[in-house]
Amino acid sequence: MLLTLSTTHQPATDLGFLLHKHPERLHEIEIPQGRALMFYPEASQERCTFALTLELDPVQLVRGSGQKGDSGLLDEYVNDRPYAVSSFLTVALGRALGTAFTGRSKDRQALADTAIPFEVVLTPLPVRGAEDLPERLFAPLGYEVQMERHALLPNQPSWGESPYITLSLKATKRLREVLEHIFVLIPVLDNRKHYFIGKEELEKLLRKGEQWLQTHPEKVLITERYLKHRKALVREALARLSDETPLENQADADRDLNQNLAELALEKPLNLNELRLETVTQVLCERGVQRILDLGCGEGRLLKRLLKEGQFKRVVGVDVSMRALEIAARRVHLDTLSEKQRERIELWQGALTYRDQRFAGFDAIALVEVIEHLELDRLAALERVVFEFARPKLVVLTTPNREFNTRFPNLVNGKLRHADHRFEWTRAEFQAWCERVASTYGYQVAISGIGETDPELGQVTQLGVFTK
Ligand code: SAH
């Protein structure tokens, strides 16, 4: 496996001062599973490249792992571990470049403190399944991400492609930042566990991620994969990343990880999320609902809240996003629930704009902050799916009040609360829609609001409760 780090900042050979590794020499260090060699394949004024290759001893790898795989003996020796980029590379990097990781440079401190152009290449990097993972991890940090897939056999194109890529990352940053990013994200790309993960790893993650992890849209995924899904550690890390707030509140902050951060930042001071959940739960409780369908359940915050009320015998969440559903499953602890609890909850992948037989037979449907994510011309389809085909006795629906947006100090005038919102309605628009839907499908509707009230602009969230 090979990692290269290049810069074109001139004189480029200053890279040697930043890394504390002389460009003209070959450097070597031992790690328990093998050895790392470091050298500079190019070192000119214009461009300088530092390379680290890792040679792992396959026998040592098996001996040192302390765990037997379940795939038979041969698999333990014959696999891609010695060659493919993995967490071992991070181990070697940490050991070889200790000083550079601290951001110090004996002879070029000013340069160490300056953002300069870097290019990092990692190869061969196994990418199985999550093709877009490198992009999701590195792009939010400002990297230009390029991936080139390797053929299985270079001279036999008909054999198809291998699971390996060459990943190249470009950005203008301080060296320390680049090192921290790759230090944390290589083990995230490598989802296998091959050394003990304990408190020490948790501290490392928080230290190396101190400057950037908290605001990374994939914070949860990074933490989980870095800590190899050790639940207690993950929980602690996430809690500490969000200023010591317990995970329950943290869950709110993680709402709709990729999409809703911006919206959340706007609304968080009002603690609107919780208020919305409480209000919807209350309405459902008051009406004696037992079977509830949460359409567009997202990451399952309402589901989790509903499960706390024994009254709800059947709670089903539907969303089109698998990723959101995975997070929802974790949030409600789907895989560790007791059998009795497990019978109460289900998660389905599905679309809200296509008739779905499964949606029938519920007492109520919740649509919390969902309709504004649909194109206006698909809204009619949702109307029919909910009010004509599923036809529950009760529909509880919330959506932003556009008029209130002027009260958000961070929101540019005229903009919607969230990039994925296709529309946001004024109170008059919401009322007109609710009344039309109610009269078309034979429902009554009561319109109110949730959250802070402005005498002129109304409440921050609009609430429609449809009954039949
Ligand atoms: N109700 C949740 C999530 C709101 S975000 C909450 O209050 O936190 C809107 C959700 O609707 C997203 O999770 C999105 O994936 C889902 N969604 C949007 N359009 C959809 C469609 N056509 N079919 C199913 N789900 C959809």
Side-chain angles (χ1 to χ4, degrees):
M1 68 189 84
L2 173 69
L3 168 132
T4 63
L5 176 73
S6 312
T7 185
T8 49
H9 178 83
Q10 295 185 13
T13 44
D14 274 358
L15 185 60
F17 289 113
L18 295 183
L19 295 171
H20 297 92
K21 296 274 175 288
H22 198 290
E24 284 170 14
R25 280 191 226 128
L26 175 70
H27 309 264
E28 180 177 345
I29 57 154
E30 301 278 333
I31 64 164
Q33 302 80 7
R35 65 177 188 150
L37 291 176
M38 289 156 279
F39 54 97
Y40 289 79
E42 61 183 331
S44 69
Q45 292 291 302
E46 291 75 40
R47 188 180 163 92
C48 184
T49 297
F50 166 81
L52 185 151
T53 70
L54 195 53
E55 291 173 3
L56 294 179
D57 176 350
V59 176
Q60 205 50 46
L61 277 181
V62 176
R63 282 205 191 120
S65 75
Q67 53 179 8
K68 287 272 163 269
D70 50 12
S71 45
L73 190 61
L74 194 58
D75 256 22
E76 289 171 27
Y77 287 91
V78 186
N79 57 41
D80 70 1
R81 294 275 92 189
Y83 316 107
V85 169
S86 69
S87 314
F88 292 117
L89 188 60
T90 349
V91 177
L93 267 180
R95 293 220 182 156
L97 304 178
T99 315
F101 269 100
T102 66
R104 288 198 300 273
S105 167
K106 207 156 79 236
D107 300 302
R108 294 288 186 279
Q109 188 57 48
L111 189 60
D113 296 333
T114 308
I116 60 174
F118 281 109
E119 179 174 2
V120 177
V121 176
L122 290 166
T123 192
L125 180 71
V127 179
R128 297 181 175 94
E131 310 294 305
D132 60 344
L133 192 56
E135 179 84 27
R136 276 160 51 196
L137 294 177
F138 286 100
L141 296 168
Y143 289 87
E144 188 187 314
V145 180
Q146 273 187 343
M147 299 192 280
E148 193 187 324
R149 182 143 311 257
H150 298 199
L152 206 52
L153 265 191
N155 51 2
Q156 292 281 358
S158 61
W159 284 36
E161 291 180 327
S162 76
Y164 302 99
I165 63 164
T166 293
L167 176 65
S168 122
L169 307 164
K170 281 189 200 153
T172 298
K173 294 195 175 297
R174 285 177 293 141
L175 174 66
R176 180 189 177 168
E177 296 174 289
V178 174
L179 291 177
E180 283 176 349
H181 295 153
I182 52 184
F183 186 93
V184 170
L185 297 178
I186 288 175
V188 170
L189 289 164
D190 176 16
N191 204 19
R192 286 190 234 183
K193 167 180 182 309
H194 33 64
Y195 44 78
F196 179 73
I197 301 286
K199 268 278 199 198
E200 206 182 317
E201 252 59 40
L202 171 113
E203 297 302 332
K204 252 187 237 168
L205 171 70
L206 295 178
R207 245 188 348 262
K208 299 278 196 289
E210 199 179 350
Q211 301 296 327
W212 55 274
L213 187 53
Q214 185 160 13
T215 52
H216 196 296
E218 299 285 2
K219 170 172 77 178
V220 175
L221 177 138
I222 292 171
T223 307
E224 286 178 343
R225 288 178 66 127
Y226 188 91
L227 297 172
K228 306 300 172 219
H229 306 280
R230 294 247 346 243
K231 279 192 187 136
L233 293 178
V234 171
R235 214 173 299 140
E236 180 178 342
L238 289 174
R240 285 171 56 184
L241 276 170
S242 80
D243 294 323
E244 320 289 336
T245 43
L247 189 67
E248 300 306 317
N249 301 348
Q250 164 67 28
D252 290 344
D254 286 335
R255 162 170 197 248
D256 243 4
L257 279 180
N258 290 323
Q259 303 179 342
N260 286 1
L261 277 171
E263 181 183 13
L264 189 70
L266 287 171
E267 294 186 345
K268 198 172 174 195
L270 308 175
N271 203 0
L272 188 52
N273 285 323
E274 261 168 40
L275 204 54
R276 225 167 4 224
L277 296 185
E278 288 309 315
T279 310
V280 172
T281 306
Q282 203 183 332
V283 173
L284 296 170
C285 280
E286 280 166 6
R287 313 276 165 146
V289 168
Q290 297 194 350
R291 292 161 299 172
I292 163 81
L293 181 64
D294 183 12
L295 289 183
C297 64
E299 296 173 358
R301 288 173 320 110
L302 179 64
L303 301 175
K304 174 153 186 167
R305 177 65 190 87
L306 295 175
L307 285 176
K308 291 190 182 140
E309 307 295 331
Q311 163 181 347
F312 301 113
K313 304 277 180 271
R314 181 164 161 74
V315 177
V316 176
V318 178
D319 206 286
V320 73
S321 156
M322 264 325 275
R323 199 172 131 57
L325 289 172
E326 280 165 17
I327 295 171
R330 285 201 293 273
R331 173 157 297 152
V332 302
H333 305 295
L334 203 61
D335 54 0
T336 51
L337 285 179
S338 69
E339 208 170 300
K340 193 142 165 272
Q341 292 297 332
R342 185 67 190 78
E343 282 171 5
R344 295 173 65 205
I345 167 98
E346 271 182 69
L347 298 175
W348 300 338
Q349 191 184 24
L352 314 181
T353 46
Y354 293 88
R355 184 176 182 176
D356 192 324
Q357 305 284 6
R358 298 175 300 176
F359 296 173
F362 287 85
D363 303 324
I365 287 181
L367 283 159
V368 177
E369 306 294 285
V370 171
I371 57 168
E372 65 275 9
H373 289 264
L374 301 179
E375 297 295 344
L376 267 175
D377 61 2
R378 301 296 295 150
L379 194 57
L382 172 99
E383 285 165 34
R384 296 193 66 197
V385 167
V386 172
F387 294 95
E388 183 179 335
F389 300 124
R391 271 196 96 59
K393 286 203 298 282
L394 174 71
V395 176
V396 183
L397 186 150
T398 76
T399 194
N401 167 14
R402 181 176 192 152
E403 292 162 88
F404 200 90
N405 286 359
T406 53
R407 286 278 303 272
F408 291 117
N410 302 334
L411 195 63
V412 183
N413 249 349
K415 277 214 138 176
L416 305 183
R417 289 183 203 179
H418 181 308
D420 194 49
H421 287 179
R422 309 304 154 95
F423 61 87
E424 283 170 2
W425 278 333
T426 61
R427 283 168 294 171
E429 285 166 329
F430 182 61
Q431 185 179 349
W433 180 79
C434 287
E435 283 170 0
R436 182 182 54 73
V437 167
S439 79
T440 309
Y441 300 101
Y443 281 77
Q444 279 87 49
V445 62
I447 295 169
S448 59
I450 303 174
E452 199 187 342
T453 311
D454 180 290
E456 309 262 295
L457 309 169
Q459 277 180 283
V460 54
T461 296
Q462 316 203 58
L463 172 68
V465 177
F466 296 81
T467 46
K468 168 163 84 100

